[in-house]
Amino acid sequence: GEDVEQSLFLSVREGDSSVINCTYTDSSSTYLYWYKQEPGAGLQLLTYIFSNMDMKQDQRLTVLLNKKDKHLSLRIADTQTGDSAIYFCAESKWNTGNQFYFGTGTSLTVIP
Amino acid sequence: GAVVSQHPSRVICKSGTSVKIECRSLDFQATTMFWYRQFPKQSLMLMATSNEGSKATYEQGVEKDKFLINHASLTLSTLTVTSAHPEDSSFYICSARDQGRGLGNTIYFGEGSWLTVV
């Protein structure tokens, strides 16, 4: 079955860049996503990348995809205290009706 | 943009009672909705796939008689936790597929519902 893994914790200083990593096992994944979950809140879609892309940039967010190594990363430039949250990567395949498989989540702590 | 709404966002119920959580697609029709559960400090796990007009498809290990899913219309799916126990306390979140859009950003998540069973 699908297996999506992330490191559990990451701490960075305010103003530095954060890089959150994710590995997955299913090479037939169609889309890969990054979601943010703040304490006591729901999921917020940050960005997604189609599997035939290598990189996608959206303001402070940069997603890198290494399909050969099945490695996905999210870089947050100029990290702010408001970025402190849990970040989930997720993958889906269109032919499964967009059923999602989530990673374990990375808790990002931004130190002022 | 498309919005998926869940209600209630937080609910506390007594052990042994049942609680219903609603998931609505507000501006699109969704023949398929998904229900996930998140245990504290863990990832989200798919519980079941809700299909409009037919029975839900449950993931292995999820008790269908305990977690009743009804998808009676194209904009509403409900999850009922029957005879709730403290171990059912969790964060439940739904997602809905906007089949009218292209591939990719067609899945929208609700805000989630925090269930506490006391």
Side-chain angles (χ1 to χ4, degrees), chain A residues 33 37 40 42 97-98 100 103, chain B residues 10 34 36 38 43 97 104 109 111:
Chain A
Y33 305 80
Q37 185 181 37
N98 292 115
F100 274 45
Chain B
R10 294 182 183 274
F34 302 90
Y36 296 83
Q38 182 184 31
S43 187
R97 179 176 174 227
F109 282 85
E111 308 96 330

Side-chain angles (χ1 to χ4, degrees), chain A residues 65-108:
Chain A
L65 175 61
N66 183 327
K67 196 172 181 180
K68 175 176 172 288
D69 294 338
K70 302 189 188 67
H71 182 266
L72 181 74
S73 68
L74 174 69
R75 178 177 180 269
I76 305 173
D78 187 25
T79 312
Q80 302 297 308
T81 54
D83 295 324
S84 293
I86 299 176
Y87 291 80
F88 291 96
C89 65
E91 57 102 0
S92 74
K93 294 182 287 291
W94 69 270
N95 59 351
T96 62
N98 292 115
Q99 177 177 309
F100 274 45
Y101 297 92
F102 285 87
T104 45
T106 299
S107 177
L108 173 64

Side-chain angles (χ1 to χ4, degrees), chain A residues 6-18:
Chain A
Q6 301 173 238
S7 53
L8 292 179
F9 302 100
L10 176 65
S11 292
V12 298
R13 292 204 175 273
E14 189 174 18
D16 289 349
S17 293
S18 308

Side-chain angles (χ1 to χ4, degrees), chain B residues 1-114:
Chain B
V3 176
V4 173
S5 177
Q6 270 185 250
H7 178 80
S9 57
R10 294 182 183 274
V11 58
I12 300 173
C13 70
K14 290 186 177 181
S15 186
T17 63
S18 296
V19 61
K20 181 186 287 187
I21 301 169
E22 294 183 347
C23 177
R24 292 181 185 275
S25 56
L26 296 185
D27 59 0
F28 65 94
Q29 294 184 331
T31 56
T32 305
M33 293 185 176
F34 302 90
W35 286 97
Y36 296 83
R37 177 177 181 177
Q38 182 184 31
F39 290 98
K41 298 184 180 180
Q42 293 188 33
S43 187
L44 296 93
M45 300 299 294
L46 180 67
M47 298 175 64
T49 303
S50 173
N51 304 297
E52 187 267 336
S54 64
K55 292 183 179 180
T57 304
Y58 290 82
E59 295 299 298
Q60 191 173 6
V62 178
E63 300 175 58
K64 60 181 69 175
D65 293 331
K66 179 159 185 66
F67 298 100
L68 300 179
I69 292 173
N70 185 288
H71 194 154
S73 78
L74 286 171
T75 59
L76 174 64
S77 175
T78 61
L79 168 68
T80 301
V81 183
T82 62
S83 186
H85 289 97
E87 57 265 29
D88 298 324
S89 299
S90 188
F91 179 68
Y92 294 87
I93 191 166
C94 70
S95 67
R97 179 176 174 227
D98 182 356
Q99 59 190 85
R101 294 176 187 262
L103 297 176
N105 193 16
T106 60
I107 293 287
Y108 301 95
F109 282 85
E111 308 96 330
S113 299
W114 293 93

